[in-house]
Amino acid sequence: MSRLYEVMFIVRPDVEDEEVDKLIAGFSSTVTTGGGVVKTVEKMGRRKLAYMVRKFNDGNFVLLTIEAGGAVVLELERRLRVTEPVIKFITVRMDEEEKRLAKVKAARGVRRQTGTPAAAAAPAPVAVPAPVAAPAPVAAAPAEAAPEAAEPLQASA
């Protein structure tokens, strides 16, 4: 069963563009020999990494969109793992994401056709009363100090 995947990998920054093109060609041939199809290849260029990976602060990003079976993707990931210039990679299955987006778009289209505004379709938010702060506790004064505080101060002449 063929599914749609996005494979992003990061190549070391010190690798030449010709070598990056050879890597992309090799990975593409892995997909095609396994019975898959490479839909798009996007070289995103050199970018700064969020954190240091294998002593590198930046790398060349490449995005492959492929349509293939699970065995082909496993082989591609194995090759990405053992290829020395590749410092990081990720594979994401996109067909489930596309189904979810299609469902959301269909729901929006139905709402537009019926003329129901989005605010009327959604339930109104319920106001929650703000919590009332408890009064601060008052420290009780000692019994002897109370009478002295009540007497007025006398001025000495």
Side-chain angles (χ1 to χ4, degrees), residues 94-110:
M94 295 303 295
D95 55 353
E96 291 295 323
E97 184 68 18
E98 288 179 352
K99 284 181 187 177
R100 188 187 68 79
L101 289 174
K103 185 177 178 181
V104 169
K105 286 181 183 179
R108 287 181 183 165
V110 168

Side-chain angles (χ1 to χ4, degrees), residues 10-111:
I10 305 171
V11 181
R12 292 184 351 209
D14 58 352
V15 174
E16 298 294 326
D17 285 338
E18 295 82 26
E19 292 181 39
V20 173
D21 292 336
K22 288 179 185 176
L23 284 172
I24 293 170
F27 295 142
S28 298
S29 68
T30 300
V31 172
T32 53
T33 56
V37 177
V38 177
K39 297 256 185 195
T40 61
V41 176
E42 185 178 347
K43 289 173 56 175
M44 301 176 79
R46 188 171 177 161
R47 295 177 179 231
K48 186 163 176 52
L49 300 174
Y51 53 90
M52 191 176 287
V53 177
R54 295 192 192 171
K55 299 183 182 178
F56 294 108
N57 288 322
D58 51 350
N60 294 318
F61 284 67
V62 179
L63 177 68
L64 296 175
T65 306
I66 62 172
E67 188 172 342
V72 175
V73 173
L74 286 176
E75 175 63 19
L76 179 62
E77 286 181 343
R78 186 192 69 78
R79 289 185 186 232
L80 285 164
R81 200 172 288 114
V82 299
T83 305
E84 196 267 330
V86 176
I87 59 175
K88 202 123 178 107
F89 71 91
I90 187 169
T91 305
V92 179
R93 190 172 129 194
M94 295 303 295
D95 55 353
E96 291 295 323
E97 184 68 18
E98 288 179 352
K99 284 181 187 177
R100 188 187 68 79
L101 289 174
K103 185 177 178 181
V104 169
K105 286 181 183 179
R108 287 181 183 165
V110 168
R111 231 184 290 154

Side-chain angles (χ1 to χ4, degrees), residues 119-139:
V126 178
V128 177
V132 179
V138 178

